[in-house]
């Protein structure tokens, strides 16, 4: 039995990643509101300790590290009203499909939409209760099923209906298994802390408007039956995840259909656990770098588009700041670097003065979130691989992008977002 109640995995303000037991204010149950946690040492599925050490949470990550996740199983058509809205018969046995571990992402990560999934109009949301298996289970009875549960989370089974139903060759995984298409979190609430998981409110909000609102009691195959059924002849391992299906209100069940589009904000929530909020981001054949630079509000110049493709491999990201006149730094800068799977790989906060920072990533696009506060004609130079930009002009000969000068007469928190769509070889 775990000694924690609300398991979280997070990036702390000391730049380290921890497992922890979330600390919530009295009366609060949404783990996403946690600002601090007790550090957990050891194996969260085995021998571990919830220590007295309390650290500040900077960013909540996916509740389990990739290496701690086993198999990701999913159920389809597992809510009565959802089966009715899709005009499909109530299943006699659980409808099982799988998602790869690469589809998992965290509670605030973007939902990346690759070029293949941007065709047609059939991108959909699905809020789901997620079971986390805590110990090895084989041929278990319904009566004993909950003994094998570590806890529960909430997830979004992002789906592309054309690839799922029309183009997937009769199976669903292709239309549901793209990278980052199973965000879940914000943590894992143990079965003892959550009590009756079979009678919880579950919902989805799209751009702030409620589009799904139901209860887990509408499940056709409840939690006990699902675990028992899936364990017959097949061993469930610690760290296995089971997405248990979605209630009514999905986009394809509406008239007219309600499909996700680029920039949509999707929140899915589960009573007693909390909610995750993810933004839909359409990718492009070229990698994109997003720079968020704190400066007086102004229109960012649009850089020309080029079609040079990135070559895969390891690339360094260098960030150098300097004063335009004195060649010395006068910025305060916060830098977060994400890889192509939207995983945070490097970060540094409150950097002052002249300096160079570096991080590496395998895969594209690489995303940089950079916030600077500066005085006077401060210039930020960003280097990607062997190519650099920041000279204040567009260089059409070598395909460099420029963010130009950010003239800031006083400290400011307003933000200009520069979207650079440029191709560089590594």
């Amino acid at each position: 039995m775990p000694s924690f109640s609300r398991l979280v995995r997070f990036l702390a303000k000391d730049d380290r990643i921890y497992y922890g037991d979330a600390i919530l204010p009295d009366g609060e149950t949404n783990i996403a509101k946690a600002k601090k946690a007790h550090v957990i040492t050891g194996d969260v599925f085995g021998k571990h300790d919830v220590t007295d050490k309390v650290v500040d949470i900077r960013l909540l990550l996916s509740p389990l590290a990739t290496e701690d996740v086993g198999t990701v199983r999913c159920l389809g058509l597992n809510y009565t009203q959802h089966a009715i809205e899709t005009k499909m018969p109530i299943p006699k046995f659980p409808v099982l499909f799988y998602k790869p571990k690469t589809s998992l992402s965290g509670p605030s990560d973007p939902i990346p939409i690759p070029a293949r999934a941007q065709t047609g109009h059939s991108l959909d949301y699905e809020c789901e209760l997620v079971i986390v298996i805590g110990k090895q289970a084989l041929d278990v009875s319904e009566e004993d099923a909950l003994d094998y549960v570590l806890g529960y989370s909430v997830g979004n089974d992002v789906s592309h209906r054309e690839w799922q139903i029309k183009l997937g060759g009769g199976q669903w995984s292709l239309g549901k298994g793209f990278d980052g298409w199973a965000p879940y979190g914000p943590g894992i609430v143990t079965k003892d802390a959550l009590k009756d998981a079979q009678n919880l409110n579950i919902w989805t909000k799209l751009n702030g408007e409620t589009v799904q609102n139901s209860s887990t009691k509408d499940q056709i195959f409840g939690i006990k039956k699902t675990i028992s059924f899936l364990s017959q002849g097949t061993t469930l391992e610690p760290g296995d995840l089971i997405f248990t299906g979605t209630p009514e209100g999905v986009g394809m069940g509406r008239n007219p259909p309600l499909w996700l589009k680029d920039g949509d904000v999707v929140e899915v929530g589960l009573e007693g656990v909390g909610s995750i909020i993810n933004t839909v981001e359409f990718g492009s054949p070229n990698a994109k770098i997003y720079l968020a630079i704190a400066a007086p509000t102004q229109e960012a110049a649009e850089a020309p588009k080029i079609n040079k493709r990135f070559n895969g491999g390891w690339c360094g990201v260098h960030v150098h700041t300097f004063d335009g006149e004195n060649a010395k730094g006068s910025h305060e800068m916060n830098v977060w670097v994400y890889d192509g799977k939207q995983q945070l790989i490097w970060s540094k906060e409150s950097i002052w003065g002249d300096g160079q920072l570096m991080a590496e990533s395998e895969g594209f696009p690489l995303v940089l979130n950079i916030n600077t506060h500066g005085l006077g004609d401060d210039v930020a130079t960003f280097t990607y691989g062997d190519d650099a930009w920041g000279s204040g002009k567009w260089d059409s000969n070598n395909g460099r992008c420029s963010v130009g000068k950010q003239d800031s007469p006083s400290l400011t928190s307003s933000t200009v977002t520069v979207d650079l769509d440029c191709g560089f070889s590594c």
Side-chain angles (χ1 to χ4, degrees):
M1 179 181 296
S3 55
F4 50 81
S5 297
R6 294 176 175 85
L7 178 68
V8 290
R9 191 173 69 93
F10 61 96
L11 177 69
K13 291 187 176 180
D14 62 5
D15 294 330
R16 297 180 62 186
I17 294 176
Y18 296 95
Y19 277 117
D21 193 1
I23 299 173
L24 292 175
D26 290 342
E28 181 62 68
T29 60
N30 185 356
I31 294 177
K33 303 292 186 181
K35 302 299 182 184
K36 298 177 181 291
H38 287 278
V39 172
I40 296 175
T41 60
D43 180 5
V44 294
F45 297 104
K47 186 177 180 180
H48 62 271
D49 291 307
V50 178
T51 69
D52 293 331
K53 180 180 179 180
V54 175
V55 295
D56 293 322
I57 297 172
R58 180 196 297 170
L59 178 68
L60 287 173
L61 307 175
S62 55
L64 295 177
T66 302
E67 59 269 22
D68 292 332
V69 176
T71 301
V72 183
R73 295 174 175 85
C74 307
L75 298 189
L77 295 176
N78 195 35
Y79 281 72
T80 301
Q81 293 303 314
H82 175 54
I84 292 173
E85 75 173 346
T86 59
K87 298 179 174 58
M88 295 184 182
I90 303 296
K92 296 181 179 180
F93 299 96
V95 178
L96 176 66
F97 63 96
Y98 295 82
K99 286 199 175 201
K101 289 200 291 186
T102 52
S103 68
L104 297 174
S105 62
S108 60
D109 290 334
I111 301 171
I113 311 302
R116 169 178 284 183
Q118 293 176 28
T119 58
H121 300 282
S122 60
L123 191 61
D124 214 342
Y125 50 84
E126 293 190 3
C127 60
E128 306 204 4
L129 177 147
V130 180
I131 303 169
V132 183
I133 298 298
K135 63 180 181 179
Q136 194 174 82
L138 177 64
D139 296 333
V140 303
S141 65
E142 290 185 31
E143 291 74 19
D144 296 333
L146 295 186
D147 293 341
Y148 298 87
V149 173
L150 178 72
Y152 306 95
S153 191
V154 65
N156 186 353
D157 176 17
V158 182
S159 306
H160 190 284
R161 301 305 185 187
E162 285 190 0
W163 280 108
Q164 175 193 350
I165 300 171
K166 296 180 180 179
L167 307 176
Q171 54 80 35
W172 290 0
S173 293
L174 185 59
K176 290 172 169 280
F178 292 105
D179 287 356
W181 280 32
Y184 75 114
I188 298 169
V189 180
T190 62
K191 62 180 184 293
D192 295 323
L194 197 56
K195 304 302 182 185
D196 185 9
Q198 205 60 73
N199 188 21
L200 299 175
N201 181 224
I202 186 169
W203 72 90
T204 298
K205 292 182 180 180
L206 177 59
N207 299 321
E209 180 180 348
T210 300
V211 290
Q212 288 184 284
N213 189 15
S214 185
S215 171
T216 56
K217 65 184 178 182
D218 189 46
Q219 288 183 346
I220 298 168
F221 304 101
I223 295 167
K224 295 179 181 179
K225 186 178 291 293
T226 294
I227 294 171
S228 176
F229 179 86
L230 294 179
S231 74
Q232 300 305 308
T234 301
T235 301
L236 307 182
E237 297 283 358
D240 282 2
L241 305 180
I242 305 172
F243 282 66
T244 58
T246 195
E248 76 277 11
V250 297
M252 77 170 179
R254 294 172 173 267
N255 187 17
L258 178 62
W259 304 124
L260 297 177
K261 60 185 183 300
D262 190 20
D264 278 349
V265 178
V266 187
E267 177 181 0
V268 298
L270 180 66
E271 180 184 355
V273 174
S275 64
I276 63 174
I277 302 175
N278 308 92
T279 301
V280 177
E281 288 191 359
F282 278 45
S284 74
N286 294 334
K288 284 188 176 181
I289 298 175
Y290 298 88
L291 308 178
I293 303 173
T297 302
Q298 55 183 289
E299 292 295 324
E302 182 176 356
K305 303 289 184 180
I306 60 177
N307 296 318
K308 189 189 302 182
R309 291 294 301 273
F310 279 96
N311 295 325
W314 287 86
C315 291
V317 177
H318 305 264
V319 181
H320 187 74
T321 68
F322 61 92
D323 182 280
E325 296 179 355
N326 303 316
K328 64 181 181 180
S330 58
H331 284 283
E332 179 185 15
M333 182 167 58
N334 303 322
V335 181
W336 294 271
V337 181
Y338 298 81
D339 67 12
K341 296 179 180 179
Q342 308 299 330
Q343 298 296 311
L344 184 70
I345 60 171
W346 191 88
S347 66
K348 189 74 173 177
E349 288 190 346
S350 298
I351 305 160
W352 281 93
D354 186 23
Q356 182 169 285
L357 314 171
M358 187 181 75
E360 290 184 328
S361 172
E362 184 176 24
F364 295 98
L366 194 71
V367 180
L368 285 75
N369 293 325
I370 301 174
N371 301 306
T372 65
H373 296 279
L375 296 173
D377 289 333
D378 296 326
V379 180
T381 297
F382 307 93
T383 305
Y384 197 92
D386 294 329
D387 294 284
W389 61 96
S391 59
K393 63 180 180 179
W394 170 261
D395 186 341
S396 60
N397 293 325
N398 58 22
R400 294 178 178 177
C401 289
S402 171
V403 296
K405 290 185 177 182
Q406 303 292 341
D407 189 358
S408 176
S410 62
L411 289 175
T412 176
S413 60
S414 59
T415 299
V416 173
T417 299
V418 183
D419 185 347
L420 304 179
D421 189 354
C422 304
F424 296 100
S425 297
C426 299

